[in-house]
Amino acid sequence: MSEITAKNVMLAVGNTMMGDDAAGPMLFDLMEQNPVDGWIAVNGGSAPENVAHQVRALKPERLLIVDAADIGLNPGDIRIIDPDDIAEMFIMSTHNLPLNFLIDQLKEDIPDVIFLGIQPDLVGFYMPVNEKVTCAVQQVYDALPGWDGFGGFTLFEGEDEE
């Protein structure tokens, strides 16, 4: 049996029971239903550190981590966030382990690790997913086939700060 590897891996992070925190898993579901050539989707849920070994085993050249990230923008806004800024930004997270730890570990084996954050509206148990967040997930999905650099998305540079 040949070893499965992928040039591009999308790691979905988030909790489907917490409203807009479902953004990452929604993208995973979309990619499972309609696979994108050259991409493999891995669902990390709210404990992405538990699938880090799966991601590593795929030996990707590029890892795209997609999660809801409260960065003070409008719901559904998408930004690429520098992994080095995650700890300082105190990004609201429902996850067990701060994402910057996981990203630092994965960077040891993966040349290109990109963190893409989708601004949530409401994160709460059994809340519906905001329509703007759903549209943002579709936008990210649509960008995957021709992904280059930041996939056409903007790097977050603290634009909510005065």
Side-chain angles (χ1 to χ4, degrees):
M1 198 173 116
S2 70
E3 193 178 329
I4 296 174
T5 59
K7 185 175 181 196
N8 300 294
V9 172
M10 188 286 299
L11 174 60
V13 179
N15 184 335
T16 53
M17 293 171 59
M18 296 286 287
D20 294 340
D21 193 40
M26 281 175 71
L27 180 59
F28 172 80
D29 291 343
L30 206 51
M31 290 175 73
E32 286 288 284
Q33 292 155 10
N34 305 289
V36 179
D37 271 354
W39 285 86
I40 289 182
V42 176
N43 192 354
S46 53
E49 60 276 12
N50 294 344
V51 297
H53 65 284
Q54 274 178 268
V55 171
R56 272 200 186 92
L58 292 167
K59 299 186 171 82
E61 291 171 25
R62 176 187 295 132
L63 173 64
L64 177 66
I65 301 171
V66 178
D67 190 10
D70 190 355
I71 47 179
L73 302 175
N74 295 317
D77 281 357
I78 301 167
R79 290 295 182 277
I80 301 295
I81 300 167
D82 183 330
D84 297 336
D85 294 343
I86 293 173
E88 295 151 36
M89 288 170 60
F90 188 70
I91 289 178
M92 173 219 66
S93 178
T94 57
H95 320 305
N96 306 340
L97 186 74
L99 277 175
N100 54 311
F101 289 127
L102 176 66
I103 291 170
D104 287 346
Q105 285 180 339
L106 292 169
K107 274 177 152 178
E108 293 171 12
D109 302 308
I110 302 166
D112 191 13
V113 178
I114 302 164
F115 179 71
L116 182 143
I118 297 174
Q119 174 66 49
D121 182 23
L122 294 171
V123 173
F125 272 110
Y126 307 115
M127 299 297 295
V129 176
N130 183 300
E131 193 178 324
K132 289 180 175 138
V133 171
T134 302
C135 289
V137 168
Q138 184 66 49
Q139 233 181 307
V140 175
Y141 175 81
D142 292 344
L144 293 173
W147 192 281
D148 185 45
F150 289 154
F153 297 106
T154 311
L155 184 65
F156 179 73
E157 294 178 9
E159 55 254 53
D160 62 325
E161 296 162 11
E162 293 303 312

